[in-house]
Amino acid sequence: MTISRRALLAAGAGAALLTACGSDTGRGSGAGPELSQWYHQYGEAGTEQAVERYADAYRKARVAVEWRPGNYDQQTAAALLTDSGPDVFEGSPTLDQIRGGQVVDLSDLLQGVEDDFNPAVLAPKTYGGRIWGVPQVIDTQLLYYRKSLLAAAGVQPPATLDALVDAAGKLTTKKVKGLFLGNDGGAGVLGGTPLYAAGLQLVTADGKVGFDDPAAARALAALHRLYADKSLLLGAPADWSDPSALLQGLTAMQWSGLWALPQVQRELGDDFGVLPFPEDGSGAPSVPVGAYGAVVSARGRHQAAAKDFVRWLWVERTDYQQDFALSYGFHIPARVSLARKAARLRTGAAAEAVRLTTEHGYAQPLLWTPASQTAYQDALSRIIRGGADPESELRTVIRTVSAELDRVRRNP
């Protein structure tokens, strides 16, 4: 699992980067045109061989798979501006790429099955009533907790943000911290999750700032209380995406990804549970989700053939879709029907993760620009670690985000 799957970076690389990275790792045996398909470099063993196998099985075109190491999102953004980029690639098309005509409308591929795709991950790939990417799998983040440690301290799994703060304090001892949100205290990973838990949004459906509300300051102030109370684990050997802090007993609760669940289950057995980020005030539990999708480049020479391939692989071949999600790592299929019937997702913590994702999942909206993200994340860091006033910090962020949304509206 690489960070590139969860964060989009601005394009800044030139053609030299495009030729310096990547390798052709597979070529389909079909007739017809030759298509180039790009994937970022997955960490899960077997994924590369699986996507080569899918390409080899396609008969209407010859599909050459390229495995792209390095800063994949930056490579792809730069490649879309040239004639040497991929025909099909996995990614999350940005607003600029959509409005700049760099990617192809794929709405017709999902006719009759659109409702079967998880709406939380389909929404960020939808703009102007059109679909610009077909979701592949769902990655999500959850709160893991050690049942035995909570029981020993007489603590119930926290259902509210205040309860989380209290629980973290009670679970903190000389040897164990109550909660691990990452070595920066959570500023880098939590993003808008606390805002959604407070009943707010990053951007509203009508394109306005979604957190201009006192509830936002209250939620973020609670994160500083965790830091000030010294309930947070900081300086762990591995960061939040690795469950080792929980497994080694350094913390009683840890925020991490669904991909960590098989390892946690192997090492802890039944001594763990999973929770959403707990609700605050009049809000609701919050579960951040993300998903790369299959996207077609508008600079490709064989757009119709590329669309046909995407339809075949990510709409028609549900067996490959389930295989890709669950055989080489641990993800939720993007199709609701596949998630419901997958054997590995039917019981225990995995089934609970699917339920939480389905009921409480949210994805970063398409209108949330890199400038908005930077302003918010910098403010969140100052609030959590520096004790900066949340109301003052949020006023500054709101001005930045409002200006960004105005800019977006002025440049359709």
Side-chain angles (χ1 to χ4, degrees):
M1 182 69 189
T2 65
I3 294 300
S4 67
R5 298 179 67 184
R6 301 186 294 273
L8 296 176
L9 303 176
L17 176 62
L18 300 178
T19 56
C21 298
S23 60
D24 183 349
T25 58
R27 189 174 304 280
S29 57
E34 182 171 312
L35 303 176
S36 170
Q37 182 186 24
W38 282 15
Y39 288 89
H40 87 285
Q41 185 176 18
Y42 284 78
E44 296 95 339
T47 308
E48 183 176 0
Q49 291 73 25
V51 298
E52 292 173 16
R53 176 164 50 85
Y54 307 155
D56 285 341
Y58 191 58
R59 291 291 176 264
K60 293 183 180 180
R62 299 182 302 280
V63 182
V65 173
E66 291 195 37
W67 205 245
R68 308 293 297 188
N71 192 330
Y72 175 81
D73 293 310
Q74 190 178 61
Q75 292 179 46
T76 305
L80 292 179
L81 303 176
T82 75
D83 293 326
S84 59
D87 295 288
V88 179
F89 64 96
E90 63 170 7
S92 292
T94 67
L95 187 61
D96 288 341
Q97 290 167 358
I98 294 170
R99 299 200 310 190
Q102 298 174 28
V103 295
V104 174
D105 179 2
L106 303 181
S107 305
D108 58 314
L109 304 189
L110 270 63
Q111 287 183 0
V113 296
E114 181 177 343
D115 291 344
D116 192 36
F117 283 83
N118 188 298
V121 292
L122 187 59
K125 293 167 179 57
T126 304
Y127 179 73
R130 314 303 294 172
I131 297 168
W132 303 92
V134 180
Q136 297 176 172
V137 295
I138 298 172
D139 289 311
T140 188
Q141 298 162 15
L142 298 159
L143 182 64
Y144 291 80
Y145 66 95
R146 294 282 296 266
K147 292 180 180 179
S148 58
L149 294 181
L150 269 65
V155 172
Q156 294 296 316
T160 67
L161 184 52
D162 284 340
L164 177 66
V165 175
D166 291 342
K170 291 177 181 178
L171 291 164
T172 296
T173 68
K174 290 183 179 180
K175 295 183 178 180
V176 180
K177 289 293 187 178
L179 178 62
F180 184 43
L181 298 174
N183 284 324
D184 62 356
V189 64
L190 289 181
T193 301
L195 301 180
Y196 282 85
L200 307 173
Q201 303 172 70
L202 292 172
V203 179
T204 63
D206 59 351
K208 304 291 180 60
V209 177
F211 53 94
D212 190 358
D213 187 290
R218 169 188 157 78
L220 301 191
L223 300 179
H224 173 65
R225 291 202 336 257
L226 285 163
Y227 183 85
D229 291 346
K230 301 187 184 303
S231 301
L232 293 180
L233 174 64
L234 302 169
D239 213 345
W240 66 272
S241 61
D242 187 314
S244 58
L246 183 79
L247 300 177
Q248 294 171 11
L250 302 179
T251 183
M253 300 183 290
Q254 177 175 343
W255 188 256
S256 192
L258 179 67
W259 55 87
L261 195 148
Q263 182 182 358
V264 173
Q265 197 156 37
R266 282 196 305 271
E267 299 196 26
L268 298 183
D270 294 330
D271 187 24
F272 81 100
V274 294
L275 296 169
F277 192 89
E279 65 186 48
D280 185 46
S282 60
S286 178
V287 177
V289 299
Y292 266 164
V295 189
V296 173
S297 170
R299 296 292 287 263
R301 293 180 299 167
H302 307 291
Q303 293 179 24
K307 289 180 62 174
D308 284 343
F309 174 66
V310 170
R311 178 190 289 110
W312 174 82
L313 180 54
W314 297 111
V315 178
E316 297 173 0
R317 291 302 302 258
T318 54
D319 55 339
Y320 286 165
Q321 293 159 39
Q322 185 162 315
D323 179 66
F324 185 74
L326 291 165
S327 296
Y328 316 101
F330 202 73
H331 318 283
I332 300 173
R335 304 281 289 273
V336 175
S337 60
L338 295 182
R340 285 174 178 165
K341 71 180 184 181
R344 295 185 69 192
L345 301 176
R346 287 182 185 171
T347 60
E352 180 66 0
V354 172
R355 184 187 72 80
L356 294 173
T357 301
T358 301
E359 295 179 3
H360 304 298
Y362 86 90
Q364 189 167 287
L366 191 58
L367 295 178
W368 187 247
T369 67
S372 295
Q373 170 68 13
T374 298
Y376 173 74
Q377 187 166 316
D378 288 349
L380 187 57
S381 180
R382 290 191 291 268
I383 292 167
I384 292 175
R385 297 182 68 104
D389 177 55
E391 292 183 0
S392 175
E393 290 288 340
L394 283 171
R395 282 196 296 270
T396 301
V397 175
I398 288 167
R399 285 196 295 270
T400 299
V401 175
S402 295
E404 277 294 284
L405 293 173
D406 287 344
R407 178 186 66 81
V408 168
R409 283 190 289 268
R410 287 195 305 268
N411 299 284

